[in-house]
Coordinates of all heavy atoms in Angstrom, one line a residue:
A124 N -1.5 6.6 61.2 CA -2.7 5.9 60.8 C -3.9 6.7 61.2 O -4.9 6.7 60.5 CB -2.7 4.6 61.4
A125 N -3.9 7.3 62.4 CA -5.0 8.1 62.9 C -5.2 9.4 62.1 O -6.3 9.9 61.9 CB -4.9 8.4 64.3
H126 N -4.2 10.0 61.5 CA -4.3 11.3 60.8 C -4.3 11.2 59.4 O -4.5 12.2 58.6 CB -3.0 12.1 61.2 CG -3.0 12.5 62.6 ND1 -2.1 13.3 63.2 CD2 -3.8 12.2 63.7 CE1 -2.3 13.5 64.4 NE2 -3.4 12.8 64.8
A127 N -4.2 10.0 58.8 CA -4.3 9.9 57.3 C -5.7 10.0 56.8 O -6.6 9.2 57.2 CB -3.6 8.5 56.9
N128 N -5.9 10.9 55.9 CA -7.3 11.2 55.5 C -7.4 10.8 54.0 O -8.5 10.3 53.6 CB -7.6 12.7 55.6 CG -7.6 13.1 57.1 OD1 -8.2 12.3 58.0 ND2 -7.0 14.2 57.4
T129 N -6.5 11.0 53.2 CA -6.7 10.7 51.8 C -6.3 9.2 51.5 O -5.7 8.5 52.3 CB -5.7 11.6 50.9 OG1 -4.3 11.2 51.2 CG2 -5.8 13.1 51.2
A130 N -6.8 8.8 50.4 CA -6.5 7.3 49.9 C -5.1 7.2 49.9 O -4.5 6.1 50.3 CB -7.2 7.1 48.6
E131 N -4.3 8.1 49.3 CA -2.9 7.9 49.2 C -2.1 7.8 50.6 O -1.3 6.9 50.8 CB -2.3 9.1 48.4 CG -0.8 9.0 48.3 CD -0.1 10.2 47.7 OE1 -0.9 11.1 47.3 OE2 1.1 10.3 47.6
G132 N -2.6 8.7 51.5 CA -2.0 8.7 52.8 C -2.3 7.3 53.5 O -1.4 6.8 54.2
K133 N -3.5 6.8 53.4 CA -3.8 5.6 54.0 C -3.0 4.4 53.4 O -2.6 3.5 54.1 CB -5.3 5.3 53.9 CG -6.1 6.2 54.7 CD -7.6 6.0 54.4 CE -8.4 7.0 55.3 NZ -10.0 6.9 55.0
L134 N -2.8 4.4 52.1 CA -1.9 3.4 51.4 C -0.5 3.4 52.1 O 0.1 2.5 52.4 CB -1.9 3.6 50.0 CG -3.1 3.3 49.1 CD1 -2.9 3.6 47.7 CD2 -3.4 1.7 49.3
Q135 N 0.1 4.6 52.1 CA 1.4 4.8 52.6 C 1.6 4.4 54.0 O 2.5 3.7 54.4 CB 1.8 6.3 52.5 CG 2.0 6.8 51.0 CD 2.1 8.3 50.9 OE1 1.4 9.0 51.7 NE2 2.9 8.7 50.0
V136 N 0.6 4.7 54.9 CA 0.7 4.2 56.3 C 0.5 2.7 56.4 O 1.2 2.1 57.1 CB -0.4 5.0 57.2 CG1 -0.5 4.4 58.5 CG2 -0.1 6.4 57.3
E137 N -0.4 2.1 55.7 CA -0.6 0.7 55.7 C 0.7 0.0 55.3 O 1.1 -1.0 55.9 CB -1.8 0.3 54.8 CG -2.1 -1.2 54.9 CD -3.2 -1.7 54.1 OE1 -3.8 -0.9 53.4 OE2 -3.4 -2.9 53.9
L138 N 1.4 0.5 54.2 CA 2.6 -0.1 53.8 C 3.7 -0.1 54.9 O 4.3 -1.1 55.2 CB 3.1 0.6 52.5 CG 4.4 0.1 52.0 CD1 4.5 -1.3 51.6 CD2 4.9 1.0 50.8
A139 N 3.7 1.1 55.5 CA 4.8 1.2 56.6 C 4.4 0.3 57.7 O 5.4 -0.3 58.4 CB 4.8 2.7 57.1
Q140 N 3.2 0.2 58.1 CA 2.8 -0.7 59.2 C 3.1 -2.2 58.9 O 3.6 -2.9 59.7 CB 1.4 -0.5 59.6 CG 1.1 0.8 60.2 CD -0.4 1.0 60.6 OE1 -1.3 0.7 59.7 NE2 -0.8 1.5 61.8
L141 N 2.7 -2.5 57.7 CA 3.0 -4.0 57.2 C 4.4 -4.3 57.3 O 4.9 -5.4 57.8 CB 2.4 -4.2 55.9 CG 0.9 -4.5 55.9 CD1 0.4 -4.5 54.4 CD2 0.5 -5.8 56.5
E142 N 5.3 -3.4 56.8 CA 6.7 -3.7 56.7 C 7.3 -3.8 58.1 O 8.2 -4.7 58.5 CB 7.4 -2.6 55.9 CG 7.1 -2.7 54.5 CD 7.9 -1.6 53.6 OE1 8.1 -0.5 54.2 OE2 8.1 -1.9 52.4
Y143 N 6.8 -2.9 59.0 CA 7.3 -2.9 60.4 C 6.8 -4.2 61.1 O 7.6 -4.9 61.9 CB 6.7 -1.7 61.1 CG 7.0 -1.7 62.6 CD1 8.2 -1.4 63.2 CD2 5.9 -2.1 63.5 CE1 8.4 -1.4 64.6 CE2 6.1 -2.1 64.8 CZ 7.4 -1.8 65.5 OH 7.6 -1.8 66.8
N144 N 5.6 -4.6 60.9 CA 5.0 -5.8 61.6 C 5.4 -7.1 61.1 O 5.3 -8.2 61.7 CB 3.5 -5.7 61.6 CG 3.0 -4.7 62.6 OD1 3.6 -4.4 63.6 ND2 1.9 -4.0 62.2
L145 N 5.9 -7.2 59.8 CA 6.2 -8.4 59.1 C 7.2 -9.3 60.0 O 7.0 -10.5 60.1 CB 6.8 -8.2 57.8 CG 7.2 -9.5 57.0 CD1 5.8 -10.3 56.7 CD2 7.7 -9.1 55.6
A146 N 8.2 -8.7 60.5 CA 9.2 -9.4 61.3 C 8.7 -9.7 62.8 O 9.4 -10.4 63.5 CB 10.5 -8.7 61.3
R147 N 7.6 -9.1 63.1 CA 7.1 -9.3 64.5 C 5.9 -10.2 64.6 O 5.2 -10.2 65.6 CB 6.8 -7.9 65.0 CG 8.0 -7.1 65.2 CD 7.7 -5.6 65.5 NE 8.9 -4.8 65.9 CZ 9.8 -4.5 65.0 NH1 9.7 -4.7 63.6 NH2 10.9 -3.7 65.5
M148 N 5.5 -10.9 63.5 CA 4.3 -11.7 63.6 C 4.6 -12.9 64.5 O 5.6 -13.7 64.2 CB 3.9 -12.2 62.2 CG 3.3 -11.2 61.3 SD 2.8 -11.7 59.7 CE 1.9 -10.2 59.1
R149 N 3.8 -13.1 65.5 CA 4.1 -14.2 66.4 C 2.8 -14.3 67.4 O 1.9 -13.5 67.3 CB 5.3 -13.8 67.3 CG 5.0 -12.6 68.2 CD 6.3 -12.2 69.1 NE 5.8 -11.4 70.2 CZ 5.6 -10.1 70.1 NH1 5.7 -9.5 68.9 NH2 5.2 -9.4 71.2
G150 N 2.9 -15.3 68.2 CA 2.0 -15.3 69.4 C 0.7 -16.0 69.2 O 0.3 -16.9 70.0
L151 N 0.0 -15.8 68.1 CA -1.4 -16.3 68.1 C -1.5 -17.8 67.9 O -2.3 -18.5 68.3 CB -2.1 -15.6 66.9 CG -2.5 -14.2 67.1 CD1 -3.4 -13.7 66.0 CD2 -3.4 -14.1 68.5
W152 N -0.3 -18.3 67.2 CA -0.4 -19.7 66.8 C 0.7 -20.6 67.5 O 0.9 -21.8 67.2 CB -0.2 -19.9 65.3 CG -1.1 -18.9 64.6 CD1 -0.8 -17.6 64.0 CD2 -2.5 -19.1 64.3 NE1 -1.8 -17.1 63.4 CE2 -2.9 -17.8 63.6 CE3 -3.3 -20.1 64.5 CZ2 -4.2 -17.7 63.2 CZ3 -4.8 -19.9 64.1 CH2 -5.1 -18.7 63.4
T153 N 1.4 -20.1 68.4 CA 2.6 -20.8 69.0 C 2.0 -22.0 69.8 O 2.7 -23.0 69.9 CB 3.4 -19.9 69.9 OG1 2.5 -19.2 70.9 CG2 4.2 -18.9 69.1
H154 N 0.8 -22.0 70.3 CA 0.3 -23.1 71.1 C 0.0 -24.2 70.3 O -0.2 -25.3 70.8 CB -0.9 -22.6 71.8 CG -2.1 -22.3 70.9 ND1 -2.1 -21.1 70.1 CD2 -3.3 -23.0 70.7 CE1 -3.2 -21.1 69.4 NE2 -3.9 -22.1 69.7
L155 N 0.0 -24.1 68.9 CA -0.3 -25.2 67.9 C 1.0 -25.8 67.4 O 0.9 -26.9 66.8 CB -1.1 -24.7 66.8 CG -2.5 -24.2 67.2 CD1 -3.2 -23.6 65.9 CD2 -3.4 -25.2 67.8
E156 N 2.1 -25.2 67.6 CA 3.3 -25.6 67.0 C 3.8 -27.1 67.4 O 4.3 -27.9 66.6 CB 4.5 -24.7 67.3 CG 4.3 -23.4 66.5 CD 5.4 -22.3 66.9 OE1 6.3 -22.7 67.7 OE2 5.5 -21.3 66.3
R157 N 3.5 -27.4 68.7 CA 3.9 -28.7 69.2 C 3.1 -29.7 68.7 O 3.3 -31.0 68.9 CB 3.9 -28.7 70.7 CG 2.5 -28.5 71.3 CD 2.6 -28.5 72.9 NE 1.3 -28.3 73.5 CZ 0.9 -27.0 73.8 NH1 1.6 -25.9 73.5 NH2 -0.3 -26.9 74.3
L158 N 2.0 -29.5 67.9 CA 1.1 -30.6 67.3 C 1.8 -31.2 66.2 O 1.3 -32.3 65.7 CB -0.2 -29.9 66.9 CG -1.1 -29.4 68.0 CD1 -2.4 -28.9 67.5 CD2 -1.3 -30.4 69.1
G159 N 2.8 -30.7 65.6 CA 3.5 -31.2 64.5 C 4.2 -32.6 64.8 O 4.4 -32.9 66.1
G160 N 4.7 -33.3 63.8 CA 5.3 -34.6 64.0 C 6.6 -34.3 64.6 O 7.2 -33.3 64.6
V161 N 7.3 -35.4 65.2 CA 8.6 -35.3 65.8 C 9.7 -35.9 65.1 O 10.9 -35.9 65.5 CB 8.5 -36.0 67.2 CG1 7.5 -35.3 68.1 CG2 8.1 -37.5 67.0
S162 N 9.4 -36.5 63.9 CA 10.5 -37.0 63.1 C 11.3 -35.9 62.5 O 10.9 -34.8 62.3 CB 10.0 -37.9 62.0 OG 9.2 -37.1 61.1
S163 N 12.6 -36.1 62.4 CA 13.5 -35.1 62.0 C 13.7 -35.1 60.4 O 13.7 -36.1 59.8 CB 15.0 -35.4 62.6 OG 15.5 -36.6 62.1
G164 N 13.7 -33.9 59.9 CA 14.0 -33.7 58.4 C 12.9 -34.0 57.5 O 13.0 -33.9 56.3

Side-chain angles (χ1 to χ4, degrees):
H126 294 183
N128 295 315
T129 66
E131 179 186 353
K133 291 176 181 178
L134 286 175
Q135 291 168 323
V136 171
E137 184 183 355
L138 175 60
Q140 288 179 318
L141 278 171
E142 290 182 331
Y143 171 78
N144 284 328
L145 184 59
R147 294 166 169 80
M148 288 185 172
R149 68 182 197 280
L151 289 184
W152 312 99
T153 53
H154 64 290
L155 299 176
E156 290 178 1
R157 60 179 178 272
L158 296 181
V161 296
S162 61
S163 60

